[in-house]
Structure formats: structure tokens, C-alpha cells
Amino acid sequence: FPKRISTILLDDDNDEVEPLYARYGHPFADAVLSPMDTPRKTEKVIYYPAYHELAYLHPKRFVPDASVLDDAGIRYERDANGEVANVEPYFVMRFNAFKAHHDVGVVGLTIENRCRMVQLLSQHGKVFITTERNIDDEFLPYQLHVPQNKVHSLLYYATMFVGDSQTMTSEAAVLGTPSIRCNTFVGRIHYLEEEEHRYGLTYGFRPEESEAMFQKVEELLAMGGAELKAEWSKRRDVLLGEKIDYTAFQVWLIENWPQSAEIVRKANETKDAEFWWRFR
């Protein structure tokens, strides 16, 4: 990093999950921004009560675009206030390529379980699949064909998300869409563990737990689309009540740097909850 230029790293993964980044990136940074309580070895960490995904999906930053439903051929209605209602059930799936440096040895959904999941979800609504690599031939009929800038809106209105991607799992969670994730990262990433065990917005399963995963999906499907989305909306409200607008915090931090770093660290040391209210 060039001298005399402050460097702030945005890092939401545990050190053990990304050892190269932690070893060769953190020591040269002035600060490492991380979600609250993420295990860190560096003393340069600045903790904040939010997730990366809330930088662009917080209600103050994101308004879903209902036109994506027209793009995808999803039926829906409008209520008396013009709000979207009675959305036809549909599901979004994401298959990861696991090509990043920290993905070595990581396993996600097997091709057999992908096929089985598509078959199960197809019985309850349309299925849309997005991948990091060329899509397998058997999934071509389900390939997602909507503008990339509308994918988060599609995720917002979806009945459920299923995949082996960390980011889209968290995106679905903060949008209030039930999400199911299956890979060997499960149990090792703090923010996803929090979204699951504190807020009940997502569920993670390791590959050897595939039967439990299918059982959970069937359990959620049995609730019915409307009831499921209503319940997850309540759970999302709980999360948003405890988290901040991460973008507002970053802007304040940078505009008031470097004094802001010490202000935040002191607020966290003294557990000054009032400090964070300015960013809600």
C-alpha cells in the first residue's frame, strides 16, 4: 500500500476462512471493518453492527423494483394502495463455482442434490437458477434471464432462496426471504451464523446434512408462500431494529477519518449503544 494513504479494508469473513487475506492484507491496513463480534487477530479491527449486504440492501438504500416480476413472467396483483400482493410462488437458486483463493477444498451442493432440489421446488412454483460458471445442460430450462440490476428485486419477492453461495444467502436473509445454504463453510462464518441463530432468517447445512436440508425445505414449503413471507418479514424487522445503515456509517467514518476510528473503538469498548442510533 502507498505510504501516507490511509487504507480501510472491508472484511466480513472469519480469519480462518480467508487466511491469505488476513495474513497479507490486514497487517498493512489502517483499519479492518468487520461485523460485530467477527473473530479477528488484528487489533486494527473496527466493529460495526451490520452486514456488508446492508450497505446496498438496507431499506434506506434499496427499493424493490416490481417490474422484475413482469420480466420473469411471474403473476402478481396490486392491493388498494398499489402495493405488490399475491405474488405467484417462485424460487431462486444459486450455484457457486468456488474459484476464490479461500474456496480451496470447499464443497457445495452436489449435482444430484441440485437436481433433486429443482424437482422438489418445481412442484411448488417456478425455479430460476443463476451460476458463477456455465450452467449445466439439465438446468438450462431454469436459467435466469433478467437484467442483473434487478436480481435483488427478484430475490426480494421470491418465496425462497436455495444455493451454496454465502453472499446471496445473506442478501436473501436481509431482504426477508427464507434462504437455505449448503456447503462446507457452514458453521465457520460469523455473520451467517448470526443471521441463522439470532434472527432465524437463514439455515445452513453441510453437504453430509443434505437429508436435513431437504426436510427443512419441505417444512418451510408446508407453511405456504404467504404465511412464510409474512413470518420472515417480521424476523427481518427484528434484524433491522438492531442493525445500522452501513452506508451511512461508512460515509461518516471516512469523512471524519482518522478521529472517527478512535470514536468508534471507544463507543464499542464502553458499549455505547446510543452512538449507533445516528446510523439507524
Side-chain angles (χ1 to χ4, degrees), residues 2-266:
K3 295 180 179 179
R4 299 192 304 275
I5 297 178
S6 296
T7 303
I8 302 173
L9 299 184
L10 312 181
D11 190 357
D12 60 350
D13 287 328
N14 294 34
D15 285 354
E16 65 169 337
V17 170
E18 40 157 40
L20 294 181
Y21 191 37
R23 181 174 180 179
Y24 297 111
H26 293 181
F28 301 100
D30 293 282
V32 179
L33 294 190
S34 298
M36 201 70 78
D37 299 325
T38 302
R40 286 278 177 258
K41 295 179 180 178
T42 179
E43 295 181 355
K44 298 178 179 180
V45 63
I46 294 179
Y47 288 115
Y48 60 87
Y51 307 122
H52 273 16
E53 292 73 25
L54 285 174
Y56 52 95
L57 294 178
H58 190 279
K60 291 184 178 179
R61 308 294 163 185
F62 173 77
V63 177
D65 182 355
S67 69
V68 72
L69 300 174
D70 299 313
D71 296 336
I74 301 297
R75 298 189 303 274
Y76 66 98
E77 299 175 359
R78 297 270 186 186
D79 62 20
N81 297 317
E83 299 295 326
V84 171
N86 300 323
V87 178
E88 175 187 4
Y90 71 90
F91 308 91
V92 177
M93 299 186 71
R94 171 73 167 179
F95 301 149
N96 206 327
F98 297 112
K99 295 294 185 181
H101 74 86
H102 53 263
D103 289 337
V104 176
V106 175
V107 177
L109 285 164
T110 64
I111 187 67
E112 293 79 13
N113 281 335
R114 292 177 182 183
C115 291
R116 180 180 170 187
M117 187 64 72
V118 170
Q119 184 178 25
L120 171 61
L121 296 178
S122 295
Q123 298 173 23
H124 298 268
K126 293 183 178 179
V127 174
F128 300 97
I129 297 176
T130 173
T131 68
E132 281 190 332
R133 58 187 178 187
N134 292 333
I135 193 166
D136 296 308
D137 290 344
E138 55 263 59
F139 301 129
L140 281 174
Y142 307 97
Q143 187 170 17
L144 181 62
H145 295 290
V146 301
Q148 290 188 355
N149 65 318
K150 294 184 179 181
V151 169
H152 292 122
S153 293
L154 189 74
L155 201 55
Y156 175 86
Y157 291 112
T159 305
M160 191 186 305
F161 167 83
V162 179
D164 46 25
S165 162
Q166 328 304 338
T167 300
M168 285 197 75
T169 295
S170 183
E171 288 174 339
V174 302
L175 288 172
T177 295
S179 60
I180 302 290
R181 174 177 58 111
C182 179
N183 61 37
T184 48
F185 277 129
V186 169
R188 301 170 59 199
I189 299 179
H190 171 75
Y191 72 92
L192 284 163
E193 290 299 294
E194 183 175 90
E195 289 172 357
E196 176 174 357
H197 299 293
R198 182 177 179 85
Y199 300 107
L201 287 162
T202 183
Y203 299 97
F205 300 90
R206 294 180 61 82
E208 64 270 20
E209 300 173 323
S210 60
E211 290 306 316
M213 174 184 67
F214 282 102
Q215 182 177 349
K216 175 57 67 174
V217 171
E218 291 179 343
E219 175 186 319
L220 295 177
L221 290 171
M223 291 179 64
E227 182 180 347
L228 187 64
K229 292 291 285 187
E231 173 61 29
W232 254 249
S233 179
K234 295 177 183 177
R235 298 183 186 190
R236 181 199 187 207
D237 287 342
V238 174
L239 179 147
L240 292 175
E242 297 183 356
K243 301 302 180 184
I244 62 170
D245 174 357
Y246 183 37
T247 293
F249 168 64
Q250 289 184 76
V251 170
W252 172 86
L253 183 76
I254 293 170
E255 288 183 341
N256 295 278
W257 187 267
Q259 292 81 7
S260 55
E262 293 309 313
I263 293 173
V264 178
R265 289 193 175 104
K266 183 177 180 180

